[in-house]
Amino acid sequence: DQRFVSPIQADAQVYTTNYGTLGFRNSTDSLMIVPCHAGYVVKQAAQDHAMAHAGLVGSSSERSYSTAMCIQASQGGYIRKGAYRMLILPFLLRERALEIRNKKKYDKLWNAISIFNREMGVRAEGHLEFFLKQFKKELDEFVAEFECVPKQVGAIILVDDQVVGIERAPSPDYWTSIWPCLIRECYGSYAIRIAQIRGERPPASRHPLPEVGSLNDLEWAIDEMARQEDERTRMTVRELLGEILELSKEESTGNCSVETVSSNRFSGQVIRDGERIVYASLPTNQKWLSENRWQSAEPFAI
């Protein structure tokens, strides 16, 4: 569906007019979908900002959101109107950001950012750029490991063999434009955190290569591991199909509406064109991840 564009595709003009107010200028003929928790860290004396939710900006129009968040405590200044690199908030901040989406307070995410930084081993202040600077090399290397497949419009993201998010875009062009933001800052940050917790232990999805004595043995072993991986993926998808999602409408533009999702497993938002979902961003709830990790842990005795 090519009727929708991302801020990256639209080369959108982004700006702030007040602390906690983030504006977008869409000069295209398409409806612009601002991804859930899109953010901007700019190289100027201005307070970095992020959205607390998804947004819709009509064709050849401008829109400001006064529910946005400052993500750089103690830095003054407004973002000058211009095109900037977009990010999507780290996974561990997104659930909290959604909870406070309607609160009009520019510093509403500072405490969560401070806690996130401390957990990541970064200076515990409400400055997201502290994390981004310290882990720039790791994030750059992580995003370079992934490529989109032809005609891709979404992904189920797993970290350490756990589903941590479902992402869906209206078109391959839209998907390709936001994929680096999702995989780098959002899910890449969580992969780094899990690696810190895991230490030297291999990921749960890693299986040792069977002993081989010839090239034929090696070919068989690789095929068998691919088969097991494929079956594990199919089981993962089957588990997700029965999840019940409750939707509550937040805003609408024409036939399109932004709706917030709640369920036992996921939080996030979808955008519907009538009854058809054209965009979805559904991070897994941290409580669910924590409880599921205990349920799938190896048995032990004391």
Side-chain angles (χ1 to χ4, degrees), residues 12-64:
Q13 298 288 295
V14 179
Y15 56 93
T16 54
T17 55
N18 203 349
Y19 298 130
T21 299
L22 188 57
F24 298 87
R25 171 63 185 167
N26 174 20
S27 59
T28 72
D29 295 330
S30 303
L31 181 62
M32 187 168 77
I33 295 176
V34 180
C36 191
H37 303 141
Y40 295 88
V41 174
V42 299
K43 295 179 180 179
Q44 58 182 264
Q47 174 71 249
D48 299 333
H49 273 66
M51 292 281 282
H53 49 77
L56 294 168
V57 184
S59 61
S60 301
S61 64
E62 204 162 326
R63 185 168 188 182
S64 293

Side-chain angles (χ1 to χ4, degrees), residues 294 297-302:
W294 277 109
E298 293 294 324
F300 65 93
I302 299 176

Side-chain angles (χ1 to χ4, degrees), residues 187-242:
Y187 295 109
S189 63
Y190 188 60
I192 291 172
R193 180 61 187 141
I194 292 300
Q196 290 175 333
I197 296 170
R198 191 177 62 229
E200 297 302 316
R201 177 178 62 84
S205 58
R206 189 74 50 82
H207 293 279
L209 188 70
E211 187 174 337
V212 297
S214 67
L215 289 177
N216 285 337
D217 288 347
L218 180 61
E219 185 177 14
W220 175 86
I222 291 173
D223 287 344
E224 176 59 20
M225 293 177 73
R227 187 195 65 77
Q228 292 179 16
E229 175 74 15
D230 186 57
E231 178 55 29
R232 202 161 56 244
T233 302
R234 292 174 186 275
M235 287 180 61
T236 298
V237 174
R238 283 197 292 268
E239 288 175 2
L240 299 175
L241 294 178

Side-chain angles (χ1 to χ4, degrees), residues 5-12 14 22 24 32-42 49-51 53 71 82-89 128 132 174-186 279:
V5 293
S6 71
I8 299 169
Q9 289 174 283
D11 201 23
V14 179
L22 188 57
F24 298 87
M32 187 168 77
I33 295 176
V34 180
C36 191
H37 303 141
Y40 295 88
V41 174
V42 299
H49 273 66
M51 292 281 282
H53 49 77
I71 54 175
Y84 302 99
R85 183 190 177 275
M86 189 180 80
L87 59 80
I88 291 177
L89 286 177
L128 185 58
L132 298 174
Y174 189 108
W175 176 257
T176 302
S177 73
I178 68 166
W179 171 244
C181 313
L182 281 168
I183 212 64
R184 189 181 188 275
E185 288 89 5
C186 179
Y279 167 87

